[in-house]
Amino acid sequence: MRREVYLDNNATTPVAPEVVEAMASYWQDRFGNPSSLHRKGVEAERAVRESRATIARLLGVKENEVIFTSGGTEGDNLAIKGVARALRRRGIHIITTKIEHPAVLESCRDLEAEGFRVTYLDVDADGLVTPEAVEAALTPGTILVSIMHVNNELGTILPISEIAERVKRRNPEIVVHSDGVQAIGKTPVDLRGVDLYTISGHKIHAPKGTGALIVREGVRLVPLFSGGGQERGLRSGTENVAGIVALARALELACENLEERLAYFRTLRERFLDGVRRIDRARINSPERSVPTTVNVSFPGIPAEVLLHALEEEGIFASTGAACASRKRRRSHVLEAMRLPPEVIDSSLRFSFSRYTTVEDIEWAVHALQHAVERLAIEASRATLTFTRR
């Protein structure tokens, strides 16, 4: 059977066997509604309560600050729209960056249609925004700052703790939100000063449709849904008990032996980069200050989609960028924000690793990448020559 190497883990991950084992009984045997008063309900409610306690302990927050959601997009929408609508009388100004996930950017655009004013901060050549730049954008009417922790296309680690500290020093009432979907299990998480933090299960080997929003005590939100008032009234709807159990177990796996795992990821990254650097025309777009699980690289002159499918023929699965935008055939807004030339943007691929990626996978992927780039470069050269002669 042909070898397959999955290097698109920023898009989604396979569910871990330990997670499947933890959640399995909640599909058929322990299927109760946590709101029910009978034994089945109490059993389900206990599972939700214990999962909430696990997540709170691992992230260093209080149990009542964990609100379960369906994933990253819902968490970002609830955080941004919820705060804006709750604090409208205090101000209408929001600050974010140009490299956020569409769940953040589109939420902000929705709010602009409601009369809010949004500042989209520029980033530097590494995809970074500085705490000083955020502070300089603050106004007396600023109510929310939303800046991602780790960029999904580049892996850039943004200084969210320092940003939160600056913002709170200027005005403790400004709410700080961070999308941490790509940070969990890939870099240490310090939520000091952060009021709202979004996580998603399927990025860390839990099923799709699972996630949580950390909501600090005292932060006011207008909920997105009306209903039975579950999750402190912030997220109505019967809890996805199996998914919640899965999320807690996946987070445990992501956080255990983190330093050891990060060292392993760094080994994978260096092996991969060593191979990429030997390829003519390769340009590495991910900065030094990035998580070791993500590498964005361009091969100018070779269209990204063509290279992507050439790799797929060799059993290598990568990505042309964020999975949410890849089918829309738009240029990466992240690489555009870095002011990269069009030929660099149009030839960029993202490779992302997981706990199941092996050194042999990396070596196989590099070999396939070298071969594909060499072959496609020759074909492109011949096509150019033929066109010139005509």
Side-chain angles (χ1 to χ4, degrees):
M1 190 173 72
R2 190 181 66 173
R3 184 184 185 116
E4 288 191 350
V5 177
Y6 183 76
L7 299 180
D8 195 16
N9 291 281
N10 281 14
T12 195
T13 56
V15 179
E18 297 93 332
V19 173
V20 173
E21 182 181 2
M23 70 188 295
S25 66
Y26 293 94
W27 289 118
Q28 290 186 310
D29 300 325
R30 296 189 278 181
F31 57 84
N33 185 326
S35 297
S36 297
L37 298 179
H38 49 65
R39 181 169 55 83
K40 287 286 187 187
V42 171
E43 195 174 58
E45 189 277 332
R46 184 186 305 124
V48 172
R49 179 161 32 90
E50 290 175 355
S51 298
R52 197 187 309 278
T54 298
I55 293 170
R57 172 176 54 80
L58 293 170
L59 295 180
V61 301
K62 297 178 181 176
E63 293 179 23
N64 65 353
E65 294 176 333
V66 179
I67 304 298
F68 292 113
T69 67
S70 64
T73 293
E74 184 187 336
D76 287 341
N77 272 264
L78 176 58
I80 294 166
K81 294 177 182 175
V83 165
R85 291 166 181 167
L87 302 184
R88 184 168 196 142
R89 289 187 178 179
R90 189 189 297 170
I92 59 168
H93 182 227
I94 298 165
I95 297 172
T96 188
T97 76
K98 293 181 177 178
I99 62 166
E100 301 294 317
H101 187 276
V104 169
L105 294 174
E106 294 304 318
S107 291
C108 288
R109 288 178 186 126
D110 288 346
L111 290 171
E112 286 181 300
E114 295 179 21
F116 288 90
R117 190 168 65 82
V118 182
T119 297
Y120 300 91
L121 293 173
D122 289 318
V123 296
D124 64 16
D126 288 334
L128 275 168
V129 62
T130 64
E132 292 78 9
V134 178
E135 184 175 11
L138 296 173
T139 73
T142 304
I143 55 173
L144 172 66
V145 173
S146 178
I147 294 178
M148 66 196 332
H149 193 172
V150 170
N151 181 262
N152 50 315
E153 293 192 36
L154 296 166
T156 306
I157 303 171
L158 287 102
I160 188 65
S161 294
E162 293 90 333
I163 289 171
E165 182 182 352
R166 287 263 184 162
V167 170
K168 295 295 184 182
R169 195 187 306 158
R170 276 280 298 272
N171 184 352
E173 293 191 340
I174 295 174
V175 177
V176 176
H177 166 248
S178 183
D179 180 337
V181 165
Q182 296 290 352
I184 299 293
K186 302 169 185 175
T187 188
V189 174
D190 178 359
L191 297 184
R192 281 177 294 180
V194 177
D195 300 297
L196 300 159
Y197 194 74
T198 303
I199 66 173
S200 174
H202 78 103
K203 309 295 189 181
I204 55 171
H205 303 287
K208 298 170 186 63
T210 60
L213 177 66
I214 304 304
V215 182
R216 295 293 198 178
E217 282 183 343
V219 175
R220 291 169 51 205
L221 293 177
V222 173
L224 299 176
F225 309 140
S226 300
Q230 289 90 343
E231 298 299 296
R232 291 172 44 202
L234 294 176
R235 206 280 182 176
S236 288
T238 303
E239 295 91 339
N240 173 7
V241 180
I244 288 169
V245 170
L247 177 66
R249 184 67 183 115
L251 191 61
E252 281 184 316
L253 293 173
C255 294
E256 70 182 16
N257 302 320
L258 181 60
E259 286 304 322
E260 184 179 320
R261 195 174 305 281
L262 292 179
Y264 176 67
F265 286 145
R266 282 192 282 272
T267 299
L268 295 181
R269 176 186 165 94
E270 285 310 309
R271 289 280 189 110
F272 186 79
L273 289 176
D274 283 347
V276 168
R277 290 186 185 110
R278 291 197 293 271
I279 301 175
D280 283 344
R281 72 177 71 195
R283 183 194 192 283
I284 297 162
N285 301 318
S286 293
E288 280 297 313
R289 186 191 165 97
S290 61
V291 293
T293 51
T294 304
V295 176
N296 190 302
V297 57
S298 296
F299 304 91
I302 301 177
E305 191 168 336
V306 174
L307 180 54
L308 186 79
H309 291 305
L311 290 174
E312 185 180 357
E313 289 175 4
E314 300 298 324
I316 312 298
F317 299 93
S319 170
T320 53
C324 296
S326 58
R327 289 187 181 277
K328 296 178 180 175
R329 296 179 182 276
R330 291 193 308 225
R331 277 194 177 134
S332 162
H333 69 285
V334 175
L335 301 186
E336 283 188 324
M338 293 166 64
R339 299 183 180 82
L340 295 181
E343 63 270 23
V344 173
I345 298 175
D346 294 343
S347 62
S348 68
L349 290 184
R350 179 187 69 186
F351 300 87
S352 48
F353 318 139
S354 82
R355 61 192 289 123
Y356 300 121
T357 307
T358 66
V359 171
E360 290 74 23
D361 289 337
I362 294 298
E363 290 175 348
W364 180 259
V366 167
H367 173 76
L369 188 57
Q370 290 170 334
H371 178 74
V373 170
E374 184 178 326
R375 176 171 64 83
L376 293 172
I378 291 172
E379 290 177 4
S381 176
R382 286 174 178 164
T384 302
L385 190 60
T386 301
F387 179 79
T388 303
R389 285 174 175 168
R390 284 178 180 168

